[in-house]
Amino acid sequence: MNDNPFLTRKQQDVLDFLLENQSHFVQPPTLDELCLAMGLKSRGSLHKHIQGLIQAGLVEAPNRKQRGVRLTKLALKTQSAALIDDLGVPFVGAIAAGLPIEAVENVEYMQVPAQLKTENRCYILQVRGDSMIDDGILDGDWVVIEQRNHANNGDIVVALIDKTEATLKHILQTPRETILIPANQTLQPMHFQPHQVEVQGILVGQMRSYTKKL
């Protein structure tokens, strides 16, 4: 689990135990039940650690209706974020940098340096084709995409065309048409009516392997 720098080691141990053993308790455990489960002798020291977690916003303060030790939404959200970080960024298939091809969602996970992604949800696609070579995006590269449904003119986007095919291109949007522009002088822009094109994300990072497969 990602350690919180504002918690003591003992507080972190208690938080990790609560997060990792949620399914073991039918109801949120009382201090006595938690002491027994963790093999602790001092209820007083555990109470002190719980108070620290309450102050950190990770455990709910007990009241007459809720006598058990309950994790807050912040604690659960932190756990989910840590699990996602451990898994990596989902790799969901290939995308065309040429004629549109389908982006197949066959999800695997890849580790990506923090500098190549944003704090928002991201995914990875592998480039097929050469229509973006003038921007240094080559066939076989992996691109990191921030998932979103809007873009500024000039952004490099994943564009879904007619709800069936996806491509990687610069985008230019006007009230009357959406233009997908390659970065290759030998190729022409692609013109569509606005309703034909959906933005599924913008390019935020890029990776390349120089290892040749035998």
Side-chain angles (χ1 to χ4, degrees):
M1 193 62 57
N2 278 358
D3 288 356
N4 187 319
F6 301 104
L7 301 181
T8 67
R9 183 176 63 83
K10 292 293 186 181
Q11 289 169 353
Q12 186 69 50
D13 289 343
V14 174
L15 176 62
D16 289 346
F17 184 87
L18 289 168
L19 288 168
E20 294 167 6
N21 293 276
Q22 296 174 68
S23 61
H24 294 178
F25 298 102
V26 177
Q27 297 291 335
T30 63
L31 284 179
D32 289 336
E33 291 169 340
L34 196 55
C35 267
L36 181 63
M38 296 185 69
L40 301 176
K41 296 181 180 180
S42 173
R43 185 180 185 276
S45 62
L46 177 60
H47 182 268
K48 181 180 178 181
H49 302 324
I50 294 296
Q51 287 300 313
L53 293 175
I54 291 173
Q55 292 176 7
L58 299 169
V59 166
E60 293 182 9
N63 54 43
R64 292 181 180 178
K65 293 183 179 181
Q66 296 181 182
R67 67 189 186 93
V69 179
R70 297 173 181 266
L71 294 166
T72 64
K73 292 181 180 180
L74 174 62
L76 298 173
K77 182 178 179 180
T78 300
Q79 181 194 35
S80 299
L83 290 173
I84 291 171
D85 285 343
D86 289 341
L87 282 173
V89 177
F91 167 58
V92 298
I95 189 166
L99 295 176
I101 61 175
E102 184 178 3
V104 180
E105 294 197 7
N106 182 20
V107 180
E108 302 173 7
Y109 290 87
M110 298 175 65
Q111 294 298 321
V112 176
Q115 296 85 346
L116 298 184
K117 59 184 179 179
T118 69
E119 295 181 355
N120 299 320
R121 179 174 296 179
C122 294
Y123 60 92
I124 296 170
L125 292 166
Q126 189 166 29
V127 174
R128 299 298 185 203
D130 61 1
S131 75
M132 299 299 290
I133 58 174
D134 291 345
D135 281 347
I137 302 172
L138 308 183
D139 182 51
D141 286 355
W142 288 278
V143 288
V144 183
I145 306 298
E146 179 185 293
Q147 185 173 338
R148 61 160 76 173
N149 60 8
H150 61 277
N152 296 319
N153 284 340
D155 284 345
I156 298 176
V157 304
V158 173
L160 184 67
I161 301 169
D162 292 329
K163 298 186 182 298
T164 58
E165 297 175 312
T167 189
L168 187 73
K169 296 288 184 293
H170 288 280
I171 193 168
L172 176 61
Q173 302 163 101
T174 72
R176 295 187 177 182
E177 67 176 346
T178 297
I179 307 171
L180 301 178
I181 306 169
N184 184 325
Q185 294 182 358
T186 67
L187 300 177
Q188 297 298 316
M190 305 160 66
H191 296 259
F192 300 94
Q193 296 180 13
H195 73 270
Q196 291 181 275
V197 178
E198 298 176 31
V199 173
Q200 294 197 318
I202 66 167
L203 180 98
V204 295
Q206 180 181 349
M207 301 182 293
R208 180 175 302 156
S209 172
Y210 290 93
T211 302
K212 293 184 178 180
K213 295 183 179 180
L214 299 178

